[in-house]
DNA sequence: CTGGGGACGGGGCCC
DNA sequence: AGGGCCCCGTCCCCA
């Protein structure tokens, strides 16, 4: 006989112990703030802690201390509260942070919920737009959008069977899965438009924080500097797949005459005065004209980098950036001497290769530098080409993320770095960041 | 401190 | 409509 409430009460007790600092044997330091928790609970909840604690499991007499600077104490509070309660307090403001922290901590359930939250936010926005057209003046004016909600893990074994359903009007959202992935969706406080992420501010903040990442990064994972979200998204663990992130794009109605703002009631526009369709980012104030542009823009929030450079392993959020990178770094397309900046031709200069990097030097600079011996023979050596679509067998193919790990091996004959594709995605979680242990 | 190289996001155009 | 490409402005890193 199974008592369904046992798990809930057990977790409740553990949470109570945590609050009273009873039997806590792990200290987590997040940007100076100390969190106390139980190793067992952390071990069971996070792949990151599993790795961390299994490494330090031999010394059980001293409390383990983990230090994080990759996310804020507030974000970790949300994560830790979820670990001890099964309730994930997501808002439009914190969902990106929480998702990236969960990615860092290898908490796939949390990542899934964050993704669902993002998608449902978009769905809600779409419904709001539809409602907007059908409502009267008063209804529109009171039509605030509430996207702050609480996801809670459903312990109730007798609850509805797993299914996927979202009804923002009713304020409930049930998602299929096991006990950890049954979630309830509760409407909470009104979204504050002023708290919406300003892209610029977010980026500035992200850059500041990314400079203070305290954890060691895996040596074989490229480190991206532009945002901490991107930093973490570049890691293999919990990396967001492109297919899963093909979120439904919301459309936004915008009229320069009426000044309708997302999530805020405003003057009414009639269908006759139908404004041009715009697409608004749900996470910042950015508005774009095309759906594809919003899809592209969303990657700067999700940190998704589906385009790996197969020459150096660096990942890009956009194909054209990868293309540009490849041409600049690996193809020596610029007919300019890297040293003297003079224009060079095939006669007056040579392509020089350093590792995977290629550039041009004029004959004078080549002779001056005495590096003539390492210049490559483009006739004998296959050039680094940026292959066209369909050229899947090329050594330097690029494009859609195949969610593969890449193994970089040296080609001794040519000093080229060749990446071998390994399709086992699970291993990525295991070889993730080294935890910081004291 | 400064300038260059590279990354990155946004916009626009073309196919 | 979507993808690819190019241009531009901004930012960061590094020599």
């Amino acid at each position: 006989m199974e008592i369904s409430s046992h798990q809930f009460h057990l977790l409740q007790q553990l949470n109570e112990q945590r609050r009273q600092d009873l039997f806590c044997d792990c200290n987590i330091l997040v940007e100076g703030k100390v969190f106390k928790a139980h190793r067992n609970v952390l071990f069971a909840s996070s792949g990151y802690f599993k790795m961390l604690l299994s490494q330090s499991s031999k010394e059980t007499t001293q409390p383990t201390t983990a230090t994080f600077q990759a996310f804020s104490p507030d974000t970790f509070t949300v994560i830790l509260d979820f670990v001890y309660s099964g309730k994930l307090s997501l808002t439009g403001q914190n969902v990106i942070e929480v998702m990236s922290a969960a990615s860092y901590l290898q908490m796939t359930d949390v990542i899934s919920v964050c993704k669902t939250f993002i998608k449902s936010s978009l769905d809600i926005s779409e419904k709001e737009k539809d409602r907007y057209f059908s409502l009267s003046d008063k209804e529109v004016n009171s039509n605030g959008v509430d996207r702050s909600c609480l996801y809670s893990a459903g312990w109730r074994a007798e609850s509805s069977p797993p299914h996927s359903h979202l009804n923002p009007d009713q304020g409930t959202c049930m998602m299929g899965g096991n006990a950890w992935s049954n979630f309830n969706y509760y409407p909470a406080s009104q979204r504050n438009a002023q708290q919406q992420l300003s892209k610029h501010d977010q980026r500035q903040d992200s850059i500041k924080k990314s400079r203070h990442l305290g954890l060691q990064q895996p040596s074989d994972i490229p480190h991206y500097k532009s945002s901490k979200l991107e930093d973490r998204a570049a890691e293999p663990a919990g990396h967001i797949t492109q297919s899963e992130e093909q979120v439904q794009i919301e459309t936004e109605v915008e009229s320069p005459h009426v000044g309708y703002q997302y999530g805020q009631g405003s003057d009414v526009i009639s269908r006759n005065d139908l404004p041009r369709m715009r697409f608004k980012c749900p996470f910042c104030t950015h508005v774009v004209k095309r759906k594809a542009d919003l899809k592209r823009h969303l990657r700067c929030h999700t940190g998704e980098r589906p385009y790996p450079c197969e020459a150096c392993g660096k990942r890009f959020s956009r194909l054209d950036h990868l293309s540009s990178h490849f041409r600049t770094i690996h193809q020596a397309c610029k007919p300019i001497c890297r040293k003297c900046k003079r224009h060079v031709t095939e006669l007056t200069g040579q392509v020089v290769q350093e590792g995977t990097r290629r550039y041009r030097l004029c004959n004078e600079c080549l002779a001056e530098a005495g590096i003539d011996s390492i210049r490559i023979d483009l006739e004998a050596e296959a050039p680094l080409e940026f292959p066209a679509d369909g050229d899947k067998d090329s050594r330097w193919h690029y494009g859609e993320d195949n969610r593969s790990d890449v193994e970089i091996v040296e080609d001794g004959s040519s000093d080229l770095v060749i990446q071998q594709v390994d399709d086992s995605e699970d291993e990525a979680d295991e070889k993730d960041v080294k935890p910081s242990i004291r």
Side-chain angles (χ1 to χ4, degrees):
Chain A
M1 180 175 175
E2 185 178 317
I3 302 173
S4 59
S5 61
H6 173 68
Q7 294 163 308
F8 175 76
H9 288 310
L10 184 63
L11 199 58
Q12 214 171 26
Q13 282 299 311
L14 286 168
N15 199 19
E16 198 59 36
Q17 288 176 18
R18 172 175 73 110
R19 285 177 182 160
Q20 296 175 9
D21 195 9
L22 282 174
F23 312 119
C24 289
D25 49 8
C26 189
N27 298 325
I28 304 105
L29 192 61
V30 183
E31 288 185 355
K33 185 173 179 182
V34 179
F35 295 84
K36 291 184 178 290
H38 303 98
R39 293 187 201 195
N40 289 345
V41 177
L42 296 174
F43 188 98
S45 306
S46 154
Y48 182 98
F49 279 110
K50 188 171 284 184
M51 186 170 64
L52 170 71
L53 295 169
S54 58
Q55 286 180 1
S56 61
S57 60
K58 290 162 189 170
E59 314 125 23
T60 52
T61 52
Q62 294 291 323
T64 303
T65 299
T67 307
F68 297 101
Q69 291 184 316
F71 40 78
S72 69
D74 289 344
T75 301
F76 189 70
T77 300
V78 173
I79 296 279
L80 198 59
D81 284 346
F82 167 76
V83 166
Y84 275 92
S85 69
K87 294 176 183 173
L88 189 62
S89 301
L90 288 180
T91 68
Q93 287 78 49
N94 72 9
V95 62
I96 296 292
E97 276 255 0
V98 171
M99 185 165 76
S100 49
S103 173
Y104 201 101
L105 296 171
Q106 299 171 43
M107 300 172 73
T108 52
D109 292 321
V110 177
I111 295 168
S112 301
V113 172
C114 290
K115 285 187 206 167
T116 306
F117 180 88
I118 293 169
K119 289 178 184 177
S120 65
S121 296
L122 296 176
D123 289 343
I124 292 168
S125 303
E126 182 65 27
K127 289 173 189 294
E128 289 296 327
K129 186 203 74 178
D130 294 341
R131 253 175 64 184
Y132 183 79
F133 280 120
S134 61
L135 291 179
S136 68
D137 297 7
K138 287 180 182 176
E139 286 169 328
V140 169
N141 282 332
S142 61
N143 184 17
V145 177
D146 184 357
R147 289 189 291 160
S148 174
C149 69
L150 179 70
Y151 283 92
S152 69
W155 289 104
R156 294 163 299 184
E158 68 278 11
S159 64
S160 306
H163 61 287
S164 183
H165 172 67
L166 172 64
N167 188 341
D169 295 331
Q170 294 174 354
T172 57
C173 171
M174 296 299 296
M175 285 160 287
N178 54 28
W180 280 99
S181 56
N182 286 334
F183 299 95
N184 290 329
Y185 165 87
Y186 302 110
S189 60
Q190 283 261 339
R191 180 186 182 87
N192 185 347
Q194 290 182 335
Q195 290 178 342
Q196 287 196 6
L197 293 173
S198 156
K199 191 205 77 176
H200 182 72
D201 293 345
Q202 184 192 33
R203 186 177 180 187
Q204 294 301 319
D205 185 50
S206 298
I207 290 168
K208 282 180 198 166
K209 289 187 178 178
S210 66
R211 288 174 177 170
H212 295 90
L213 286 176
L215 288 173
Q216 291 177 306
Q217 299 295 326
S219 59
D220 56 339
I221 301 297
H223 182 74
Y224 300 113
K225 62 191 177 188
S226 63
S227 118
K228 66 175 186 288
L229 171 63
E230 291 162 0
D231 285 340
R232 278 165 274 153
E235 295 160 10
H239 187 71
I240 307 157
T241 65
Q242 188 180 20
S243 59
E244 286 171 335
E245 288 302 304
Q246 299 297 324
V247 293
Q248 293 295 316
I249 308 301
E250 67 168 316
T251 55
E252 162 72 2
V253 183
E254 180 184 274
S255 166
H257 306 299
V258 296
Y260 173 69
Q261 296 289 318
Y262 177 84
Q264 295 175 343
S266 182
D267 298 335
V268 175
I269 48 175
S270 69
R271 282 188 180 275
N272 292 337
D273 190 25
L274 187 66
R276 59 209 166 99
M277 297 299 284
R278 291 268 187 149
F279 301 90
K280 185 184 175 311
C281 174
F283 300 110
C284 70
T285 56
H286 189 60
V287 177
V288 294
K289 291 178 182 174
R290 298 169 62 214
K291 198 170 163 182
D293 289 338
L294 179 57
K295 186 178 168 184
R296 183 173 75 173
H297 167 78
L298 278 173
R299 289 206 194 106
C300 79
H301 292 299
T302 64
E304 186 187 13
R305 291 171 179 273
Y307 305 105
C309 173
E310 301 234 341
C312 66
K314 190 166 173 58
R315 304 180 73 96
F316 295 86
S317 60
R318 284 166 48 172
L319 186 59
D320 53 335
H321 287 162
L322 168 60
S323 169
S324 171
H325 158 86
F326 197 90
R327 283 193 297 266
T328 305
I329 304 299
H330 303 301
Q331 279 194 315
C333 281
K334 286 183 184 173
I336 295 170
C337 174
R338 194 165 186 250
K339 197 173 178 187
C340 67
K341 311 298 178 191
R342 282 187 300 181
H343 185 272
V344 293
T345 65
E346 289 187 2
L347 293 175
T348 61
Q350 297 287 341
V351 175
V352 175
Q353 177 158 345
E354 287 181 9
T356 61
R357 193 183 185 102
R358 286 181 172 181
Y359 53 87
R360 292 178 189 271
L361 287 179
C362 66
N363 292 333
E364 288 80 1
C365 290
L366 273 169
E368 196 177 314
I371 55 175
D372 188 67
S373 58
I374 68 165
R375 84 182 189 198
I376 59 168
D377 182 354
L378 290 178
E379 294 296 323
E381 181 63 56
L384 300 185
E385 287 182 355
F386 200 67
D389 281 344
D391 189 6
K392 300 294 182 187
D393 295 330
S394 168
R395 288 159 62 187
W396 298 92
H397 67 93
Y398 74 100
E400 296 289 330
D401 184 9
N402 53 16
R403 301 179 63 196
S404 302
D405 299 329
V406 288
E407 182 183 352
I408 300 178
V409 296
E410 294 289 337
D411 181 346
S413 61
S414 63
D415 196 32
L416 292 179
V417 175
I418 301 170
Q419 297 188 339
Q420 293 181 339
V421 175
D422 178 4
D423 282 327
S424 59
E425 61 185 63
D426 292 336
E427 288 177 11
D429 289 8
E430 300 303 324
K431 61 179 181 183
D432 196 9
V433 291
K434 279 191 173 182
S436 166
I437 307 174
R438 276 194 293 161

